[in-house]
Amino acid sequence: MTDPLDRIAAALERIAPAVPADADPLVHPAYIWRDGRLVAARKFDPLPLDLLLGIDAQKAALVEDFGRLADGFAAQDVLLWGARGTGKSALVKSAVAAVQADGRKLALIEVAAMDGLRALFDRIDGLPRAFVLFLDDLGFDAGGDARALRSLLQGGAEARPANARLVVTANRRHLVPRDIAEQESAINPRDSVDDHLALADRFGLSLGFHVVDQSGYLAIVRAYADRFGLSFDPDEAVGWSTRRGGRSGRVAWHYITDLAGRSGKKLPF
């Protein structure tokens, strides 16, 4: 006679929903790596590159690097660091879209947790497509996680596949916080500093982003307003940034969103 627990387990398996299959990695422009599965992004519609102002050098460098990756040439892992709201994440997505618009085989995969990277490497290794593995707003409180990422970038026995590059955004240039007490207790303080810098040094391309001044902020607002047919008051735009505590592309976009809503207009992004 079958054990009742076995019958219950079998019944539960029959009524449980099937695990969705991975999205085809050769079809969609962008994906999310979630719980060991590749999920197609519901919508991938980044801002056009020409709407990202004040970061021309960063745009050119990132698009060139992604183009090389898509063409199968040598390309760098990338660290984008700097002030909040200055366009780091937006640029990653817009640069991928720009390369895709040229008809080249490149996709974005957003990775939420670093501990799933090795399984993702296995999933995409050898595919006839290049991939930007995007880790947004990364930071470490523990040295072990930082050392694991260093190994995945370079130097480990099982680094990332040739058709993929890691692209990381962070508010800190060196990713790992530097503790003065740790340096004071080290036999050689320079060793402590070098250990913290070692992760950032693994990225062949490091792009800095900085807070814009008032004229730069207003230029961003004006570009958005012109693109979407909106009239704006510069004093009001400056007042908005003052209340938000800073000037950045993100603050400018939030102002434009509010302005469009008050004007009874929709925005495409």
Side-chain angles (χ1 to χ4, degrees), residues 19-121:
V19 177
D22 266 8
D24 189 333
L26 303 180
V27 172
H28 303 282
Y31 303 84
I32 299 170
W33 181 248
R34 180 188 299 147
D35 299 327
R37 292 179 50 245
L38 203 58
V39 180
R42 183 176 56 83
K43 183 180 181 182
F44 185 63
D45 193 14
L47 287 170
L49 277 176
D50 63 346
L51 277 182
L52 300 178
L53 302 183
I55 52 172
D56 290 344
Q58 295 92 325
K59 283 194 289 188
L62 197 61
V63 170
E64 181 178 359
D65 190 65
F66 287 179
R68 292 174 182 174
L69 176 61
D71 292 339
F73 303 146
Q76 304 281 11
D77 299 293
V78 187
L79 172 63
L80 299 89
W81 60 271
R84 302 187 314 274
T86 49
K88 301 183 294 295
S89 301
L91 177 56
V92 172
K93 292 177 281 191
S94 296
V96 169
V99 173
Q100 292 172 342
D102 286 340
R104 290 185 277 184
K105 295 180 179 180
L106 181 70
L108 179 80
I109 302 179
E110 184 172 324
V111 182
M114 202 189 71
D115 57 8
L117 273 174
R118 291 190 187 278
L120 176 57
F121 291 170

Side-chain angles (χ1 to χ4, degrees), residues 81-167:
W81 60 271
R84 302 187 314 274
T86 49
K88 301 183 294 295
S89 301
L91 177 56
V92 172
K93 292 177 281 191
S94 296
V96 169
V99 173
Q100 292 172 342
D102 286 340
R104 290 185 277 184
K105 295 180 179 180
L106 181 70
L108 179 80
I109 302 179
E110 184 172 324
V111 182
M114 202 189 71
D115 57 8
L117 273 174
R118 291 190 187 278
L120 176 57
F121 291 170
D122 292 339
R123 180 70 178 87
I124 63 176
D125 189 17
L127 292 176
R129 193 182 197 187
F131 297 92
V132 168
L133 309 185
F134 182 35
L135 290 86
D136 193 22
D137 197 20
L138 189 66
F140 296 105
D141 294 323
D145 288 340
R147 285 189 289 273
L149 181 55
R150 290 202 319 245
S151 178
L152 292 174
L153 283 162
Q154 288 179 3
E158 190 178 23
R160 43 109 179 99
N163 63 329
R165 290 295 179 271
L166 293 174
V167 177

Side-chain angles (χ1 to χ4, degrees), residues 126-214:
L127 292 176
R129 193 182 197 187
F131 297 92
V132 168
L133 309 185
F134 182 35
L135 290 86
D136 193 22
D137 197 20
L138 189 66
F140 296 105
D141 294 323
D145 288 340
R147 285 189 289 273
L149 181 55
R150 290 202 319 245
S151 178
L152 292 174
L153 283 162
Q154 288 179 3
E158 190 178 23
R160 43 109 179 99
N163 63 329
R165 290 295 179 271
L166 293 174
V167 177
V168 170
T169 66
N171 293 332
R172 292 189 297 260
R173 182 176 186 177
H174 301 306
L175 294 173
V176 183
R178 294 168 61 180
D179 190 334
I180 294 177
E182 178 186 3
Q183 296 178 42
E184 291 176 346
S185 64
I187 295 175
N188 183 348
R190 183 64 201 176
D191 291 343
S192 176
V193 174
D194 286 346
D195 188 54
H196 283 76
L197 300 182
L199 176 55
D201 287 345
R202 289 295 202 279
F203 294 90
L205 181 59
S206 178
L207 303 174
F209 292 72
H210 308 283
V211 174
V212 296
D213 59 17
Q214 182 167 299

